[in-house]
Structure formats: C-alpha cells, structure tokens
Amino acid sequence: MKGSTHRRCYCRDPKTGKPLGKSCPKLASRKHGSYSIRQELPPREDGTRRSFSRAGYESLKAAQADLDHVRALLGLADADDPEGVALVASMLEEVGAEKAPLPDVEETRRRLKSGQDLIGRLTVGEWLDQWLAAKRIRKSGVSRYGTDIRIHLKPRIGHLRIDRLRVSHLTEMFTAIAEANTVILEENAQRQALIDELATVPWKGAENRARRKTMREALDSMPPFRRITGAATRQRIRGTLRAALNDAIAQQIITFNPAAHVELDPVRKPKALVWTDERVAKWRETGEKPSSVMVWTPKQTGAFLDHVADDRLYAMWHLIAFCGLRRGEACGQPWSETDLANHTLTVTTQLVQDGWEVETSDPKTDSGFRIVALDDDTVGVLERHRKQQEADRAEWGPAWVETGHVFTQEDGSWLHPGKVTDYFERLVASSALPPIRLHDLRHGAATLMLAAGVDVKVVSDTLGHSDTRITRDIYQSVFPEVAKDAAEATAKLVPLQRKTEVEKARKAAAKAKNAAKSQAKKKGKRKKPKG
C-alpha cells in the first residue's frame, strides 16, 4: 500500500492569509518546516478508504522511522487473515486519531496471536474485576479477595493500565498504606485521649454539663476508631494481586508480574507461650497477655475441662483439646465419619463463615483430609455425647433438625462457628483461668502431643499440616517441666571435673550435718533426768 513522507510549512500569504504550502520560498532550506507521513490503510468494511497520518517530525530520518514502524505493524497480519488485517488497520486508525504513541511491534504481535485488545487499554481495576468474577472458590475466599481489591487495590492502582504496571507503582502503594497507618494511629490516640478526659468530667453542674456537651461534639466530629493495615494484611494484599497478575500472564495479557518483586516487611508470626505461674501473676496484675497465642499447661487444661464437665458441648472442647481439630472442622464433623468402634474419626468437611453466614466446605488444605486416632477416654466422651444427642432428638420430636453432625445446637441444627468462639470465651472467663482463644486449644493439643514424646510427623498428620516444619515453627511450645528435664539430660552428657568436686563438697557437707545431728541427740539423752 502507498505511503510517503513529505515536508511542509505553515507559512501563510500575508495578503490572502492562505497557507503557502509547497510554494513557500523558505522550503529550500532544510531547517524550515517539518516532515509528515501518510500511509494508506486497508479499507473499512463498507469499502471507504482510510489512512494513517502524522505530522511534526523535525527530520526526514525520524519521519521515515515512524513510517517504517507503521508498515511493520501492517505486516503483522497475513494477507489470508482478513480479520487480523482489519484489527491492525483499526488499531492504527485509532492511534492516529488519538495522536497516541505507536505500539511496540513485538507486543502487538503477541496480542494479535492471543486475541487480545491490540491497544492495551485494560486497566488493573478492570482486570481485577474480571479475575474475581471468574474465580471458582468458596465464598469466604472470594470475599477475602474482594475486600483486598475493593479497599486497597482498586482505589490506589486500579486506574493504571495493567501492561504498564511497575514495581515502583506497588512500592508507592504500600508506602501510602504505611503513611495512612500513621495517620490512623494518631487519630485513634486523639480520640481515646478525649474519651479518657471526658470520663473525668463530673456529670453534675451546669459548667460540667456544658463542657461534656462540647467534648461530645468534638468526639462526633472526629474520625471513628479504625484498624491499621498490618504487616500480615499487606502481605495478603500483595498475595491477592500476585495471584491475579499470574493469571493475566497465563492469558498472555502481560509478561511480567511486579507483585512478585515488590519488597515488604516480613511478618513475624507470634510464638505460642505457656501460661506459667509467673506469667499468670503478671497477667492478673496488669491484664496483659505475653503473646497473642497462649497455651494452657496440662493442669490448666484439666481444670478447664473439669469446669465445663456439665456443659452441653463438653465433648467438643474435649475433642479440640486432645486431638487439635480446627473450629470449623469440629462444628462440621459428621457422625458418618466418626468411627468410635475403631477409635478414629475422618475429617472430610468443615463449616466456614462468609461474613456472618455459614456454609459447608472442604477442609482448609488437601492435608486437612485426614484420619485422627482417638484415645479410650475421648471415645467414651463421644459415646456419652451421642446418647445425650439421641435423648435430645426424642425430646424435640418433629422439630428436630437432622444435620447428621456430631455437635449441634439444641434443636439439631448447625453450630455457628462465630457463636461457638464467643461461647468458649465466656466459659474461659467464668473459669478464672488465664485467657486463651479457642484456636489456642489446638495449639495446646499439639504441645501436649509433642511433650508426651509423640513423633512430630504423627503430630503434623493429626493436625492436618502439609509440612512438619509448620508444626515445629508454630505449635511447638515446650512446657517448662519438659524443658527442665531436657536441660538436665543434656547437662549429664558432659563429664566435668568441676561437677565432681562440687558433688564431693556437697556430700561432705551433708555428712557433717548428719554427724552434728547425731551428736546433738546423744547429748540430749545424757541430759535426760532419771526416773
């Protein structure tokens, strides 16, 4: 197809005001005017002609380079591919009309082969919406992704073209989130300070009432308490974006995933700590927990189970405390997968929350599908629980809701995981024991098994972990007495002369003490009066 470069100027005839065009006498100088290009494009579907035109080049070389670029783009589609030819032609027509930069030849070739928009106007926000709509995962997962997209990703980077998203954009986004955290903390502190001050103002007296009114108005004008976006949440946001961009790469929309290369502060997972006497004493004094993850000692666990021995859900607390089931797994455990005759139960399902709604779902991971061995006492607890459930079924009669679950509400219907957590916290508070979360019973079960000498692989399988490292890193809280025994066993392995001398001195001191006692007894007998 025809294409050409030409030089023109914008001088006008001083008398008529019309453009001089090629008749301008100054065009003899190469420095006068500018160069333009024009390339004929394939006709439209209705047969009308169209072309690509662009002006303003300072040199013939620059104009010729763009003309060659346009021709290279036209050559991407084979002559026997009318659809591809039409797509390229439409793209060039649109680029020319918008005075946009010419698209890269290789990028356009890739887009043409994969059937994508050749201009690449797809934004990050548009792709995230498409990606989320196509996800086929449980509702709670979709809700989590949706929260990250709605609150963080679309407001900050949703307007950017996905093919132009860079690591620097994401670095700026997370920097802005950190700065917003600082503002939130300051505003929360100001609001709390005003609340504390308001609590000190008496209610009686006109002056005090006026002051309280002013302070309440100030409180109303302040932003409400807000949660900051912590390190774990920032990692989750990056994970959501990374997953979405990986799918974009798979569909050949982009070739690079910047979310895989942005650096964030590492998340330090809290270590489980045991409620020792010293920690309990400090908690009672200050009300502060040493860690967000706390584990009861065997004695404390026993005290709690004794405290709730008559509770309707005692069997659930017992099962979680000894076998480490997750909350949703315990709530969703069916009788059909509970084989008391063979002392096993099989975890095949769980109840999960989506907002406040509850739905049944597969276990959290593939390794969550597992067989859990039951001890004799736990089997006995579950047998008594089943008898009580059968009595409840008979009492409710036709109103009984048959779910087939081991643990249910009074009428047989599903337990709500969130309500189970709230109920557990009330039971802990009434027991006068130091506080733990329901999930910490699972931590405690892992710790009990490890302290009892159970192999870590068996513990990992019982808990449904995919890797024993997870068990060691998160759940292995060593009880003080177990640690003391280990320390003593380690110390005895190393023979030290110092130890021998110390032992001799200790024995000598004990011998002297015994001799002194014996001598004192003899003197006492001699001084004893006769008859």
Side-chain angles (χ1 to χ4, degrees), residues 142-333:
V142 172
S143 297
R144 190 197 71 189
Y145 284 141
T147 299
D148 295 338
I149 291 169
R150 183 181 69 259
I151 296 178
H152 299 286
L153 296 174
K154 287 183 68 174
R156 297 186 184 277
I157 60 173
H159 62 286
L160 299 173
R161 273 178 45 174
I162 190 171
D163 58 329
R164 295 182 180 176
L165 186 64
R166 298 290 179 263
V167 175
S168 59
H169 294 138
L170 304 187
T171 301
E172 291 172 2
M173 177 182 74
F174 286 112
T175 299
I177 290 175
E179 292 173 351
N181 283 344
T182 302
V183 174
I184 290 171
L185 290 173
E186 290 176 353
E187 291 177 346
N188 286 350
Q190 292 172 1
R191 184 175 182 85
Q192 186 62 53
L194 187 55
I195 290 174
D196 294 342
E197 184 181 354
L198 179 61
T200 64
V201 179
W203 288 85
K204 294 182 179 180
E207 183 179 349
N208 289 330
R209 287 195 296 271
R211 185 182 173 193
R212 292 183 65 87
K213 180 180 179 181
T214 301
M215 294 175 72
R216 282 195 298 268
E217 290 174 350
L219 272 176
D220 292 340
S221 65
M222 286 182 170
F225 285 117
R226 292 177 291 167
R227 297 176 61 182
I228 64 170
T229 305
T233 303
R234 294 197 293 272
Q235 292 281 2
R236 192 191 68 200
I237 294 167
R238 182 179 67 171
T240 297
L241 181 61
R242 182 167 51 194
L245 295 182
N246 279 339
D247 284 354
I249 291 175
Q251 296 186 29
Q252 297 184 320
I253 296 174
I254 56 176
T255 58
F256 173 73
N257 189 341
H261 299 277
V262 64
E263 295 184 1
L264 296 178
D265 294 334
V267 178
R268 295 182 178 178
K269 295 183 179 180
K271 290 292 184 180
L273 297 178
V274 177
W275 274 117
T276 60
D277 292 342
E278 294 78 11
R279 289 168 180 158
V280 172
K282 185 175 180 180
W283 165 72
R284 295 192 187 284
E285 180 183 350
T286 64
E288 296 179 358
K289 292 172 60 177
S291 172
S292 59
V293 181
M294 297 302 298
V295 178
W296 281 332
T297 63
K299 183 178 178 180
Q300 291 164 343
T301 301
F304 173 76
L305 292 177
D306 289 339
H307 175 71
V308 298
D310 297 328
D311 187 73
R312 192 179 64 83
L313 293 178
Y314 170 79
M316 174 184 278
W317 315 131
H318 182 103
L319 186 64
I320 296 175
F322 284 97
C323 299
L325 265 65
R326 297 179 177 93
R327 177 187 69 175
E329 293 170 347
C331 291
Q333 180 63 28

